[in-house]
Amino acid sequence: MYEGIDCTATLFLKGADSTYIQDLELWSNYRDDMNDYTSSAVALNEKNCRGNIFKNLSLMSNQDTYYTNDGGTTYLENCTIKGTNNFICGGGTIYFNRCDIELREHGGKGDVICAPATEANRSYGYVFNSCHIYGEKEQEGKYMLGRPWKNAPRAVFLGTLMELLPDSLGWEIHNTIPRLFSEYESLDNEFQLAPTRGRRKQFKDANNVVTNIRYNTYLTENEAEKYDINDVFPGWHPERKSAQINPPIVQIKDRGSIYWEDVPEACLYAVCRNRDVVAFTTQPFYNVPKGTPENVSYSVRCANFYGGLGERSNEVTYPNR
């Protein structure tokens, strides 16, 4: 069976603008096949998508786990991405906010986290903000933060906790001159500033010509401030629309009705019975069905702008005694 970067992805989103995914796990056929290091095995493939948001999403594979937008924009928050070789790759402006990046065993080789192919007309490519890099101990001092793929690659790591430190060069050579590969306040496993002075400053193009980069491999504070979400995505505010809605205080009446104060920010409520969702309502109450056995617990979760459910409320037990 052929497993390619442009086909057989576990989930393929093509022109699927404004897609919202929360609390989901996606993996490729090679998730557990650690002997296959050369096959592209995509868990998620986005193509020409704009305004996508992924929250609490887990992507697991080996090579090319997440193939990103050509010409698109995506925001990820509190996601986990696992892989080995170039496991985040492609074009577009992709913002990874507080995401976990897990390095997997690679037969003694060093992993490469990303391979951006940022379009030349873009000011931003891959932005890793307050992320966490961890994984197999064999990757200590071996893995690379990224390598250029094609076009005008851009990738920055901001305030990222590197539980395992990369190779001191940081970035790999691969037939393209990056437009910007840089860091700001990378941290080691003791939350001290990680050493970055040895980062690579020379790359080779497709003709094997060596070029000295003109940008700084370490951003200044003023430069780092330009990677705020509002600057990267002006007028969009994905972190606000995807924010979890705090649950209300749930109470129960003698005759088997649970109720709560209305939460204006919630688009609807999910009623949970013994922590499983059993009903949806836009009203701040729910009538317990007749015949419900005793000692059943009820709670409520609020849905945000996109329908993503927040934490459960307090639990009340039916019937009220």
Side-chain angles (χ1 to χ4, degrees):
M1 177 179 136
Y2 175 70
E3 187 89 14
I5 193 170
D6 285 318
C7 64
T8 64
T10 303
L11 178 61
F12 182 25
L13 300 175
K14 184 176 181 180
D17 293 348
S18 301
T19 297
Y20 181 85
I21 300 176
Q22 179 182 316
D23 303 329
L24 187 68
E25 186 176 279
L26 297 173
W27 61 85
S28 78
N29 290 340
Y30 293 125
R31 176 191 63 169
D32 299 318
D33 186 359
M34 301 315 297
N35 294 315
D36 196 318
Y37 304 116
T38 60
S39 297
S40 295
V42 181
L44 174 60
N45 182 347
E46 286 184 282
K47 190 175 182 65
N48 296 322
C49 301
R50 293 169 178 80
N52 288 354
I53 297 176
F54 305 136
K55 191 159 187 170
N56 305 331
L57 176 66
S58 292
L59 303 175
M60 296 185 293
S61 186
N62 289 347
Q63 180 173 323
D64 304 334
T65 303
Y66 177 28
Y67 185 24
T68 69
N69 267 308
D70 292 331
T73 52
T74 298
Y75 172 79
L76 297 92
E77 183 178 302
N78 296 332
C79 294
T80 299
I81 306 172
K82 304 179 183 182
T84 54
N85 192 33
N86 313 322
F87 57 97
I88 302 171
C89 58
T93 298
I94 317 295
Y95 200 102
F96 302 85
N97 196 23
R98 302 192 302 276
C99 291
D100 288 340
I101 310 297
E102 183 173 335
L103 306 168
R104 307 194 71 178
E105 187 269 330
H106 198 171
K109 300 177 183 178
D111 290 345
V112 180
I113 292 177
C114 69
T118 316
E119 299 87 342
N121 62 347
R122 287 184 175 266
S123 300
Y124 300 97
Y126 287 167
V127 181
F128 296 88
N129 180 60
S130 299
C131 292
H132 178 202
I133 300 172
Y134 64 100
E136 293 291 333
K137 296 297 183 183
E138 69 157 19
Q139 292 298 323
E140 177 73 40
K142 290 184 179 180
Y143 76 93
M144 294 290 188
L145 298 175
R147 69 163 176 82
W149 181 8
K150 56 184 178 180
N151 301 327
R154 291 177 179 269
V156 296
F157 287 80
L158 311 169
T160 292
L161 175 60
M162 299 178 180
E163 190 173 315
L164 301 176
L165 292 177
D167 183 294
S168 60
L169 289 171
W171 308 94
E172 192 173 70
I173 293 174
H174 189 77
N175 300 333
T176 303
I177 306 302
R179 184 66 57 86
L180 178 66
F181 279 174
S182 196
E183 299 165 71
Y184 178 72
E185 292 192 344
S186 296
L187 302 174
D188 63 19
N189 61 357
E190 296 183 348
F191 297 93
Q192 302 298 311
L193 289 177
T196 58
R197 289 187 178 181
R199 296 298 190 243
R200 188 184 302 279
K201 296 181 179 180
Q202 290 185 333
F203 291 84
K204 295 180 181 180
D205 63 17
N207 297 314
N208 214 31
V209 176
V210 176
T211 298
N212 292 315
I213 60 171
R214 297 181 180 180
Y215 58 78
N216 249 337
T217 59
Y218 194 85
L219 300 174
T220 66
E221 183 176 354
N222 287 338
E223 289 171 333
E225 288 177 352
K226 296 177 182 178
Y227 289 87
D228 182 82
I229 297 174
N230 294 324
D231 293 317
V232 177
F233 299 129
W236 183 24
H237 309 300
E239 79 287 5
R240 298 182 192 175
K241 290 186 176 181
S242 63
Q244 303 289 275
I245 308 299
N246 292 327
I249 301 298
V250 175
Q251 303 180 65
I252 186 169
K253 292 182 179 179
D254 293 338
R255 296 184 179 180
S257 176
I258 64 173
Y259 64 100
W260 55 91
E261 287 191 14
D262 194 23
V263 180
E265 298 84 5
C267 68
L268 58 78
Y269 306 100
V271 179
C272 302
R273 172 175 163 170
N274 292 340
R275 302 195 174 187
D276 293 327
V277 175
V278 295
F280 293 99
T281 179
T282 57
Q283 303 299 318
F285 62 86
Y286 173 75
N287 295 319
V288 177
K290 293 181 179 180
T292 298
E294 294 188 359
N295 299 319
V296 170
S297 296
Y298 283 94
S299 57
V300 167
R301 299 173 70 183
C302 296
N304 65 17
F305 178 87
Y306 289 102
L309 298 179
E311 296 296 322
R312 281 185 295 271
S313 70
N314 62 302
E315 293 185 322
V316 293
T317 303
Y318 174 84
N320 185 27
R321 297 188 183 280

